[in-house]
Amino acid sequence: MMYWVAGGFIYRRVDSFFHRLDARVKLLLTSELVALSLLSFSPPELIVTMGTTFAVASLSHTLRRMGKTLAFSAGFAITIFVIDILVGYSIIDALVYSLRFVAIVGSTSIFFLTTSPDELEHVMRWFRLPRDLIFAYVTAVRFVPVLLLDALQIMDAQKSRGLELERGNIFKRVRNFSPVLIPLVVNAVVRSGELAEAMEVRAYGAVEKPTMLYSPLLRTMDKIAAILSITLFLPTLYYFLFLV
Amino acid sequence: MIEFENVSFKHQNGVTALRNINLKIEKGTLTAIVGENGAGKTTLVRHINGLLKPAEGAVRVFGINTKQQSVAQLSKKVGIAFQNPDNQLFSDTVTNETLFGLKNFGMSEKEQAERLEWALNFFDLARYRDVSPMLLSGGEKKRLCFASVLSWDPDVLILDEPTVGQDYYHKEKITSMIMDLLSKGKTAIIVSHDLEFLWPLQPRTLVMAQGQIIADGAMANVLSDDETIKRANLVRPQLLELAIELHLHPRVLSNVKEAAKLILVRSVGAR
């Protein structure tokens, strides 16, 4: 189940036009989709935004994997809908907020599904973010699949000692997870310590400005995609800001 | 007792891990599963306690199809000690870690106390009973995993890479534990790369490569075959290598002393 859900956020190498784009262009497109989701205030607008998101996902061959995450996020969307209704929002508003959540999850999912941790690092470096921050963030992203595998192995080990994770009421089930969470957290802490040492012994932080082997350059295709997306986005933005 | 019938299994990432496995393991026997990394050894044993269910075919343990039982139900009969102890230790003390399985299986307090004492003493862990498992050394953690599984006395014990991180003394201890279990009629299955450790035990040996069992039989016979060794990327135990070089029957040399005696006799004879 966990793997199924996280599958919507873990990068996998696929040969598609969208995957080949520069990460900065992918970030631009994703940001535009997120902005459209936030600016949409009626169900038809949101459906158009989501349609665009699905079209991009389809182009990048990630629709199936993104769909898994969306199916899971539907549970949260329903919760948002119910809470909104309970606190007095209209059905339309509640529907908009819950659909907006799904649209945002979908568009961010596309970025993470098509951008490798290395590309992510290039983008962050391009924004001139502090190196330690970039390193910490990229390492965290890179370790998501590792932690996921760890969690699955720990669950197997505990189930083999008679632990029944799905047994009992909701509180009991949450408690059942402590034999999984404790080794997972301990492993993560130990691993981070080992990683820090391994980085230090390989001279991490020895110079203030480390040199790079590759510097990402925007190719013609990237520039065309970026210009095209901005050309389509700006009129839409104008529509949302001044015409609605 | 354990039966694999035309079992195939594919991982979520699409990799086929087992291809048409047919296998029978009898009660009270010792079986070793060897092969290179990714050969399907761990996937195979995970089918025995139901952690994985076959995509095709059937796995039966004590005549029961594993698809019809939960992991917890099967685990009472089939104990698995996993390769990485850090993936299972979580309790505040060694005592509580050992008791975890016993409590899950609903054993009485008296039974829990008895089994706890046996397991801690057998694995040299009694002096650490109030210590956090996280503070133990790698080898001690591994022994704690064995203790916490053997404590509920399963009929079948599966050890995944039991000798990793163990010194000579504790490898001997594991050997004696296995012999002890076999003498009680238990069944043991060892997944290991450590052929030197397995050699004195002379188990039935299954050699796996690319999700298939490519050889099955007495260890000496299986590992004497050059083709099997090549296909599974194995390195023969040194005593077996020596026996082959000396043109002896592969099972003649079971320990270094015997080998030395034989070489001495031959060299005296040659003079």
Side-chain angles (χ1 to χ4, degrees):
Chain A
M1 177 69 180
M2 255 191 326
Y3 195 84
W4 194 77
V5 173
F9 285 99
I10 296 173
Y11 169 78
R12 193 172 286 172
R13 203 182 298 274
V14 176
D15 186 30
S16 81
F17 166 74
F18 202 79
H19 279 78
R20 284 194 296 272
L21 283 178
D22 186 277
R24 287 164 290 185
V25 179
K26 284 187 258 191
L27 184 64
L28 173 73
L29 284 164
T30 309
S31 310
E32 287 167 355
L33 287 172
V34 171
L36 288 180
S37 313
L38 290 170
L39 290 167
S40 304
F41 274 95
S42 71
E45 287 166 4
L46 268 165
I47 287 166
V48 171
T49 307
M50 285 169 77
T52 316
T53 308
F54 287 137
V56 176
S58 178
L59 273 175
S60 55
H61 306 308
T62 53
L63 191 59
R64 232 175 97 189
R65 296 183 70 210
M66 189 186 88
K68 289 177 182 178
T69 311
L70 289 188
F72 183 72
S73 70
F76 289 98
I78 291 166
T79 313
I80 292 169
F81 182 81
V82 172
I83 291 171
D84 284 348
I85 294 289
L86 289 176
V87 296
Y89 281 101
S90 69
I91 291 179
I92 296 292
D93 283 346
L95 191 66
V96 166
Y97 292 135
S98 51
L99 280 178
R100 184 180 288 162
F101 172 75
V102 176
I104 292 171
V105 170
S107 29
T108 45
S109 172
I110 291 176
F111 180 71
F112 286 103
L113 283 172
T114 57
T115 311
S116 71
D118 283 343
E119 289 177 300
L120 210 59
E121 193 180 342
H122 285 311
V123 175
M124 294 176 87
R125 219 185 299 137
W126 187 72
F127 280 113
R128 300 196 184 283
L129 293 175
R131 190 179 175 223
D132 288 345
L133 182 80
I134 298 173
F135 184 77
Y137 180 74
V138 172
T139 308
V141 171
R142 208 168 265 153
F143 271 82
V144 168
V146 178
L147 284 178
L148 202 65
L149 281 177
D150 269 4
L152 292 174
Q153 283 178 357
I154 294 166
M155 280 161 78
D156 280 356
Q158 305 302 29
K159 280 199 268 183
S160 299
R161 294 202 292 168
L163 179 70
E164 290 181 278
L165 293 166
E166 291 88 17
R167 197 175 174 185
N169 58 33
I170 183 81
F171 298 108
K172 175 92 173 71
R173 284 180 187 210
V174 170
R175 241 195 347 262
N176 284 349
F177 267 87
S178 66
V180 176
L181 289 175
I182 295 170
L184 188 66
V185 172
V186 171
N187 281 0
V189 172
V190 170
R191 186 178 280 139
S192 65
E194 285 172 354
L195 182 68
E197 284 174 356
M199 298 307 294
E200 274 184 274
V201 298
R202 286 184 288 167
Y204 179 83
V207 290
E208 213 166 286
K209 280 191 177 172
T211 49
M212 298 292 162
L213 178 58
Y214 302 110
S215 293
L217 292 169
L218 283 175
R219 293 158 302 161
T220 316
M221 190 53 76
D222 299 318
K223 288 172 190 164
I224 293 170
I227 292 166
L228 201 69
S229 81
I230 292 169
T231 314
L232 289 169
F233 177 67
L234 286 177
T236 322
L237 189 66
Y238 181 80
Y239 163 80
F240 277 122
L241 293 178
F242 302 109
L243 300 179
V244 179
Chain B
M1 189 188 67
I2 297 170
E3 195 179 353
F4 282 67
E5 195 182 301
N6 302 320
V7 171
S8 293
F9 182 80
K10 204 182 250 189
H11 285 298
Q12 271 186 336
N13 58 9
V15 173
T16 304
L18 297 179
R19 294 165 206 267
N20 200 29
I21 301 283
N22 285 291
L23 172 68
K24 266 185 190 168
I25 296 174
E26 298 300 333
K27 191 173 182 285
T29 57
L30 172 63
T31 307
I33 305 175
V34 300
E36 62 184 330
N37 292 341
K41 308 183 294 289
T42 302
T43 306
L44 183 85
V45 294
R46 277 172 182 239
H47 276 80
I48 301 175
N49 80 338
L51 280 170
L52 296 175
K53 312 282 184 194
E56 285 170 38
V59 178
R60 275 182 281 275
V61 177
F62 296 102
I64 300 163
N65 192 322
T66 56
K67 282 184 183 166
Q68 290 159 1
Q69 290 215 312
S70 70
V71 178
Q73 284 171 315
L74 285 162
S75 292
K76 190 151 191 196
K77 295 180 194 118
V78 183
I80 294 190
F82 285 91
Q83 190 174 345
N84 184 359
D86 291 326
N87 280 351
Q88 69 173 66
L89 304 178
F90 75 99
S91 299
D92 53 346
T93 61
V94 165
T95 299
N96 286 336
E97 191 66 52
T98 315
L99 288 173
F100 180 69
L102 304 180
K103 287 178 182 168
N104 283 332
F105 292 124
M107 291 187 179
S108 68
E109 278 179 28
K110 186 173 171 269
E111 221 170 354
Q112 283 185 35
E114 280 171 10
R115 292 187 178 208
L116 171 73
E117 283 313 307
W118 173 84
L120 293 185
N121 286 322
F122 189 84
F123 288 99
D124 272 348
L125 293 165
R127 64 201 144 132
Y128 300 124
R129 61 178 70 232
D130 297 321
V131 173
S132 164
M134 315 294 171
L135 299 176
L136 300 179
S137 71
E140 287 160 351
K141 282 181 183 172
K142 191 97 182 168
R143 296 204 312 275
L144 178 55
C145 290
F146 295 153
S148 74
V149 173
L150 271 175
S151 59
W152 72 78
D153 200 24
D155 292 317
V156 180
L157 178 69
I158 299 172
L159 302 173
D160 195 354
E161 297 292 354
T163 56
V164 173
Q166 298 296 307
D167 57 24
Y168 176 76
Y169 170 73
H170 286 107
K171 278 190 186 182
E172 289 286 296
K173 197 91 181 159
I174 295 168
T175 305
S176 79
M177 169 192 86
I178 293 165
M179 300 310 281
D180 190 37
L181 287 171
L182 293 172
S183 71
K184 286 179 185 162
K186 306 278 179 189
T187 308
I189 300 168
I190 307 170
V191 175
S192 182
H193 286 102
D194 192 348
L195 298 183
E196 296 292 347
F197 161 75
L198 293 171
W199 180 252
L201 292 165
Q202 288 294 323
R204 170 190 175 188
T205 304
L206 306 175
V207 182
M208 291 194 72
Q210 293 171 332
Q212 288 177 307
I213 297 172
I214 59 165
D216 177 2
M219 190 174 202
N221 297 341
V222 164
L223 298 184
S224 299
D225 182 46
D226 290 334
E227 183 61 29
T228 304
I229 291 288
K230 202 175 159 189
R231 273 186 72 189
N233 276 328
L234 296 171
V235 177
R236 286 192 182 104
Q238 295 201 7
L239 285 170
L240 175 60
E241 197 67 60
L242 184 65
I244 291 170
E245 289 298 322
L246 293 173
H247 302 290
L248 297 170
H249 186 276
R251 279 187 76 165
V252 167
L253 305 177
S254 61
N255 59 54
V256 176
K257 275 186 185 166
E258 272 179 26
K261 207 186 287 175
L262 209 93
I263 293 169
L264 206 64
V265 169
R266 281 200 168 193
S267 62
V268 169
R271 270 185 231 157

